[in-house]
Amino acid sequence: MNSDINFIPLEISDEESEKEVEIDSNKEKFINNEITEYVKDEHKSSTKRKWDEANTCPICLSPWSSTGNHQIASLKCGHLFGYSCIVKWLKKKTTKDSRCPCCNSHAIVRNVRKLYACNIKVEDNSQYESIKKEKIEIENYCERLEKEKLHFQIYSRIANEQLICIKNNINDYKQQLKKLKQKNSNNNKFQFNSTYIIDNNLKSARVLSYDALGKYLYVTKSLNIQNFGIVKIDIPENKISGYYQLHKKIIKDIQCNPLNGNILSCSFDKTLQVFSNKTKDIDICIPIDYACWSCCWSLYNENQLFAGLSNNTILMFDIRNLSTYCTKLSGGSNLNKPIHSLIYVNNLNNSNSSEKINSGILGANLEGIFYHDQKSIDQNNYSNDKNINSQDNEDFIPKLKYQQPGSCVSLCYDPLTQQILTTWRSSSSSGLLTNYNIDYLSYSPDINNISPKKEPSFTNTNGFISSFDYMKERENKPQYPVFFERRQEIYGYSGQKHLTKNIIFSDYKSSQSDSKELNNKDAIVINESDEYDTKITENSKEQVFQNENNNNNKGKESITSETKDSTENNELETFVCASDEGSCSSVLWKCNWDNNYSIAHHCLYQELPTENHSVILDIKYCPLANTHNNILACLTGDQVFLYKK
């Protein structure tokens, strides 16, 4: 037989195929109907079973009756049984072992109670009970919310009252500003002169420094993350002359030497550098163990440098021997808070130069300000040279300190009036306002002859609040030749988040004839790409040539003698210029007091807004040869704005 079998396909007609499809569909419908009916029956049977179980005795599984031997009865635990069934169940066991067949709780025959009910149906109310509990919890939560709402309503009422007071103060300040804007025609005020674009990309301009010899303004700038330097601005010629690289990290402070114009700079890269103004290169680079926040030149000894570090110490170096530091001074705080400001004060009260106490270094950290005299600095230097233990020598601790609530964020000194401006940021979390305190740094070689302050008379104060209340804390005579005397206190308009370097300066009262010699008021915008395409008016050119001739003819001794004579013969006006971060401008106050310095007051003099609405980070007062044409420089992160008086 052949293993290969050939199957012959059968031909099926279209009608037969359609019939088969119909049969299959009918079968499917029948099966689906059967399934649904079965499910319905099961559901009915399950519900019926539940009702049957609810109406049957759990012992004999037969329905209980409303009367007779099998009448419905219950135990203490609440479970239901037939009366005859539960009695037999309990009698079979002793009284100790007799228990409920459902919950196994102790039960005896005396606990059986007959119930009289015709028909009993039990419903599943577990979901209802859970919803009821949730409702009670929600009601309790709503009650707590209502109590919190009352507390917040009280707090909001208090806050609204404070807000109304603040708005009233703001309206008063706005009215004062309107009056100032109406008086812009006054030639004695500062007027916008020019703008210098320093850095549009990184906005790394942070610090300003002014060279009074060459009339140069230096600004810090960064080309990239590891390239930080300074930009030189020639104020008489009104141009930017160049960029010089100094450090590898952020520059915190730069100071110009008043004798030769060299630049002292410090940075977070733990170096202190001296940039030569003649060679245009770095002459000295001093490595330091900590980040440097501030620096200054010594006006007592031209070879000494000071650096304020992040660990609340000051190091003095001598450029003749840079192997190590000469003196280590303390900021007077137990905490390692950085010293953000250093100023050298020379020859207080124009006293005898042989007295070293009347010259010294003035510093500030976040806790307060302090003063080290030159005598203690030299003694500490002597102890280091003789290898004396520094713990036995207490001269490195400042003998003069001043603190108050809040954080000191800025320090400035006016050598003409010997006044100190300190900026204090409030420590409270609710009101971040800024206070500006003006103190007088006084020196008296004979401490015993210091006369106590007289109590001021408040009859003729003209509505101004006297700042003499601080003297109540100074009833005793000072025990140190150098001491602080509070002049007045100024309240800022807004809080200060940045460490802006605010300034105090004095200017001579100008006459109306001098005020007519002001330059053109139009703004001149200068970029680094077009350094030499500047616009200078004919009046400014004549003043530049006059200033250069005056500087070449006058020596250092003649300048100092003329300044002393001018302070005695002419009256000085004291101004405070501070950054107002709320309005992105610098606010100028004029300070006044009587001849005895007992009653002081201040008034809003002028507001100097910026064009790009940026926060001002540093302010410098640039006195020129002609004292009535001085310049006020304000620095933002990318531009320098000059205002000429």
Side-chain angles (χ1 to χ4, degrees), residues 2 5 27 69 106 145 161 370 396 410 424 485:
N2 294 329
I5 298 174
K27 286 181 179 180
N69 293 330
H106 182 71
L145 290 179
E161 291 177 357
F370 55 89
F396 68 95
S410 176
W424 297 84
E485 290 184 5

Side-chain angles (χ1 to χ4, degrees), residues 251-348:
I251 299 174
K252 291 298 296 181
D253 195 8
I254 54 175
Q255 297 292 334
C256 294
N257 193 331
L259 299 178
N260 51 22
N262 293 338
I263 299 172
L264 179 64
S265 62
C266 62
S267 171
F268 278 171
D269 61 359
K270 299 180 182 180
T271 58
L272 184 69
Q273 295 182 2
V274 177
F275 180 79
S276 177
N277 193 18
K278 293 181 180 179
T279 61
K280 309 300 179 185
D281 198 0
I282 299 173
D283 285 350
I284 299 173
C285 182
I286 305 172
I288 306 175
D289 295 334
Y290 295 91
C292 191
W293 279 66
S294 58
C295 59
C296 71
W297 298 90
S298 174
L299 302 179
Y300 186 82
N301 188 348
E302 61 182 5
N303 297 317
Q304 293 178 355
L305 310 175
F306 293 91
L309 307 184
S310 60
N311 62 344
N312 196 31
T313 58
I314 303 171
L315 298 182
M316 187 192 78
F317 295 92
D318 195 328
I319 60 177
R320 295 169 295 185
N321 184 12
L322 296 174
S323 59
T324 182
Y325 61 86
C326 300
T327 303
K328 184 177 181 181
L329 306 173
S330 173
S333 174
N334 296 325
L335 302 176
N336 289 333
K337 294 188 177 181
I339 297 176
H340 55 75
S341 300
L342 280 181
I343 300 170
Y344 195 89
V345 178
N346 190 25
N347 197 12
L348 290 173

Side-chain angles (χ1 to χ4, degrees), residues 157-211:
R157 194 180 304 127
I158 296 171
N160 288 328
E161 291 177 357
Q162 294 178 355
L163 183 62
I164 291 171
C165 295
I166 293 172
K167 285 183 178 180
N168 292 331
N169 292 332
I170 291 172
N171 292 328
D172 294 338
Y173 293 143
K174 285 183 178 180
Q175 291 178 1
Q176 293 181 7
L177 290 177
K178 286 181 180 179
K179 292 179 181 179
L180 288 175
K181 290 179 180 179
Q182 293 176 359
K183 296 179 180 180
N184 281 335
S185 59
N186 190 356
N187 294 327
N188 292 329
K189 294 186 178 181
F190 287 92
Q191 298 177 1
F192 178 76
N193 183 57
S194 59
T195 303
Y196 297 92
I197 300 175
I198 304 298
D199 186 6
N200 283 327
N201 299 324
L202 299 177
K203 296 184 178 180
S204 58
R206 292 290 184 272
V207 185
L208 282 173
S209 182
Y210 178 65
D211 181 13

Side-chain angles (χ1 to χ4, degrees), residues 39 75 137 216 249 284 321 388 414 512 570:
V39 170
L75 296 176
E137 292 177 356
Y216 298 131
K249 289 186 179 181
I284 299 173
N321 184 12
I388 300 175
D414 183 15
Q512 296 180 357
N570 298 328

Side-chain angles (χ1 to χ4, degrees), residues 369-391:
I369 59 176
F370 55 89
Y371 177 78
H372 284 281
D373 55 31
Q374 187 65 35
K375 183 179 179 181
S376 62
I377 295 172
D378 293 342
Q379 287 178 357
N380 194 15
N381 188 12
Y382 177 76
S383 63
N384 291 330
D385 293 339
K386 298 297 181 180
N387 295 324
I388 300 175
N389 189 3
S390 61
Q391 294 180 357

Side-chain angles (χ1 to χ4, degrees), residues 460-496:
N460 296 323
T461 56
N462 295 325
F464 292 104
I465 299 175
S466 175
S467 63
F468 201 78
D469 294 337
Y470 79 100
M471 291 302 297
K472 294 180 180 178
E473 300 177 359
R474 287 188 169 273
E475 293 178 357
N476 298 326
K477 296 181 180 179
Q479 299 178 358
Y480 189 63
V482 181
F483 52 92
F484 297 117
E485 290 184 5
R486 177 62 53 83
R487 289 290 175 85
Q488 56 182 304
E489 185 174 2
I490 302 174
Y491 295 96
Y493 298 152
S494 63
Q496 186 170 351

Side-chain angles (χ1 to χ4, degrees), residues 11-18:
E11 294 181 358
I12 300 172
S13 63
D14 295 336
E15 294 178 357
E16 292 178 353
S17 63
E18 290 177 357

